[in-house]
Amino acid sequence: MSGLIYRMPHRVKGYECDVTGEITLPTLINLMLHVSGVQSIALGNTTEQMLERGLSWVIVQYDMKIERMPHAGEELVLQTQAISYNRFFTYRQFKVFDANDQLCLEVMVTFVMMDFESRKMVQIQKDLIAPYQVEEIRNLLRVPKPEKLEQEGRSEQEFRVRYLDIDYNRHVNNSKYLDWIINTLDPKFIMDHQMVAVNIKYEKEVEYGNVVKSVMTTSERENGEFVTAHQICNGEDLSCEAHIIWKKVQKS
Amino acid sequence: MSGLIYRMPHRVKGYECDVTGEITLPTLINLMLHVSGVQSIALGNTTEQMLERGLSWVIVQYDMKIERMPHAGEELVLQTQAISYNRFFTYRQFKVFDANDQLCLEVMVTFVMMDFESRKMVQIQKDLIAPYQVEEIRNLLRVPKPEKLEQEGRSEQEFRVRYLDIDYNRHVNNSKYLDWIINTLDPKFIMDHQMVAVNIKYEKEVEYGNVVKSVMTTSERENGEFVTAHQICNGEDLSCEAHIIWKKVQKS
């Protein structure tokens, strides 16, 4: 593992949490990208250099392992580190620690470089990632794919893409896809279970005004964990796939 | 004007902004309430004492005057001060200053104390607000009401209340009503205009699963400003009313 480590404190605000008092997944995603943005500025604002070349980072996948979700009021340390890169992909790890330096969760994020005129992926430009002191690898890092929907028992909800879903980068914010996924679940299920892992892979962007369909299935594993598998569909297009692994909340 | 002043720095994060790069109204609302919560904790956590008595603060109205909306990356100072109270209402002012100590916006917020069993308003309990050193007044503070919808030219959108709209207090977060209001506007109108004032008055709470109707009209004033008037309706109930005053963006 290589790459400069960047750390930033964050106190969880009440409005960043859901009804259970735990930080929401969309907030976590936003905070992680914020921290990597701050690291980029600290290392000489490579993002601006990318813009000058007509390039931007696009997130392909988050693979998240959760020990516990932080609560409102907690003092966290958000840590980010570029891990490695190959011809087309870069890998960045995020870790969230609590006030006792215990790991709450870790996330592997896969990025690609995109030409924003052609909307096509380009080869990673080495000089742009040099400041992060990250290791070049020949192969792909093995990041598991989200589990597929079950054939039976599908449920779905529609969501219209709203003005405030579009962020400063003029795209539907990454966190919004997780918003649609979470908001398709049964609230009682969410409150009776806690997340163990989240895996989301982005396939095709949606746009303002689109009405997307959030489809899901639930299945139980032999070890008693549950897997909810998710798709966000935009007409005929698969926009993203995801799964969340849950275990029952131990009531004390 | 009385009451202890509390100030807190805040750097505007990219994800707190809309496509124009300006901080969103829902984020502003959340930040303001966060700051007053932090003041409460600093003054001995009166919120916890309220909970013990089965009471909570409920926001009745925001009346906002906007010089300019802060942008992504700006270093702000968020200031809050309890202004005065009478038998049933307390008034709190928020101000947002930029790095040059220039006022960006100010907001007068009206609160009531509610018994959360009976869901009824109760008289302000003086010992609970004593720590804020706030002045008692006999009369109501004059806060103008939101302008009414025009009879003609109404447009509307429906919004389903989602799981993530419910906050840690087990209610639909105040900011969500503004979310529905903003998301009913034409994006081109938002981008061609800037907000001068916002006034929102809450009437009746909505709940998870409700499908609310966000209705609006637009009118032009003689001075060239525009007024958009808004209602959030939940079936037969008026849930909140608002207006936003806009002026054309001066393109440079």
Side-chain angles (χ1 to χ4, degrees), chain B residues 81-195:
Chain B
Q81 181 183 27
I83 296 296
S84 57
Y85 74 100
N86 52 41
R87 210 164 147 215
F88 284 108
F89 298 96
T90 71
Y91 304 98
R92 180 178 278 278
Q93 192 181 55
F94 288 90
K95 290 185 175 177
V96 176
F97 297 96
D98 67 16
N100 300 318
D101 213 25
Q102 296 294 300
L103 183 71
C104 296
L105 57 98
E106 61 179 282
V107 189
M108 185 65 82
V109 191
T110 309
F111 291 84
V112 296
M113 261 186 195
M114 197 183 65
D115 182 300
F116 54 67
E117 283 295 327
S118 68
R119 309 296 295 159
K120 292 232 170 86
M121 214 164 105
V122 298
Q123 284 192 33
I124 301 294
Q125 301 195 5
K126 294 187 182 186
D127 63 318
L128 288 175
I129 62 166
Y132 304 99
Q133 300 183 20
V134 59
E135 181 192 12
E136 184 175 1
I137 55 174
R138 283 178 177 276
N139 301 324
L140 298 181
L141 211 68
R142 204 202 148 272
V143 183
K145 288 185 180 160
E147 296 193 16
K148 297 286 175 196
L149 287 180
E150 303 287 325
Q151 285 308 314
E152 308 279 313
R154 298 184 178 196
S155 60
E156 61 182 54
Q157 289 241 15
E158 285 189 343
F159 296 93
R160 192 177 58 244
V161 182
R162 304 173 177 177
Y163 171 76
L164 288 174
D165 295 338
I166 317 290
D167 66 17
Y168 194 19
N169 299 316
R170 301 188 165 264
H171 297 287
V172 173
N173 189 279
N174 271 291
S175 70
K176 298 299 168 181
Y177 299 78
L178 276 165
D179 218 281
W180 299 323
I181 287 170
I182 297 296
N183 283 316
T184 308
L185 289 155
D186 175 9
K188 184 165 166 23
F189 179 86
I190 299 178
M191 284 188 266
D192 289 346
H193 297 81
Q194 60 194 70
M195 294 184 207

Side-chain angles (χ1 to χ4, degrees), chain B residues 18-69:
Chain B
D18 69 5
V19 66
T20 70
E22 291 179 351
I23 194 167
T24 67
L25 272 185
T27 303
L28 260 179
I29 299 279
N30 282 328
L31 282 172
M32 293 189 314
L33 290 197
H34 174 68
V35 177
S36 67
V38 175
Q39 184 186 34
S40 290
I41 291 169
L43 293 176
N45 209 348
T46 57
T47 309
E48 223 160 69
Q49 293 167 37
M50 286 183 65
L51 282 177
E52 285 164 13
R53 296 189 201 173
L55 301 173
S56 66
W57 289 116
V58 170
I59 289 165
V60 179
Q61 191 173 7
Y62 295 99
D63 186 29
M64 195 179 301
K65 287 171 185 57
I66 301 164
E67 295 295 326
R68 68 174 187 86
M69 285 297 255

Side-chain angles (χ1 to χ4, degrees), chain A residues 13 15 18-21 24 30-31 34 72 157-160 162-164 166-168 183 187 190 208, chain B residues 13 15 18-21 24 30-31 34 72 157-160 162-164 166-168 183 187 190 208:
Chain A
K13 300 182 183 76
Y15 69 80
D18 69 5
V19 66
T20 70
T24 68
N30 281 328
L31 281 171
H34 174 67
Q157 289 242 13
E158 284 189 344
F159 297 92
R160 193 176 56 244
R162 304 172 176 178
Y163 172 76
L164 288 175
I166 316 290
D167 68 16
Y168 194 20
N183 283 315
I190 299 177
Y208 173 78
Chain B
K13 300 181 183 77
Y15 69 79
D18 69 5
V19 66
T20 70
T24 67
N30 282 328
L31 282 172
H34 174 68
Q157 289 241 15
E158 285 189 343
F159 296 93
R160 192 177 58 244
R162 304 173 177 177
Y163 171 76
L164 288 174
I166 317 290
D167 66 17
Y168 194 19
N183 283 316
I190 299 178
Y208 174 78

Side-chain angles (χ1 to χ4, degrees), chain A residues 87-140:
Chain A
R87 212 166 146 211
F88 284 109
F89 298 96
T90 72
Y91 304 98
R92 178 178 281 278
Q93 192 181 55
F94 287 90
K95 289 185 177 179
V96 176
F97 298 96
D98 67 16
N100 300 318
D101 212 25
Q102 295 295 301
L103 182 70
C104 297
L105 58 99
E106 61 179 281
V107 190
M108 185 65 82
V109 191
T110 309
F111 291 84
V112 295
M113 262 187 193
M114 197 183 65
D115 181 300
F116 54 70
E117 282 295 325
S118 69
R119 312 293 295 160
K120 291 233 171 84
M121 216 164 105
V122 298
Q123 284 192 33
I124 301 293
Q125 300 194 5
K126 294 187 182 185
D127 63 318
L128 288 175
I129 61 167
Y132 303 99
Q133 300 182 21
V134 59
E135 182 192 11
E136 185 175 359
I137 54 174
R138 283 178 178 273
N139 302 324
L140 299 181

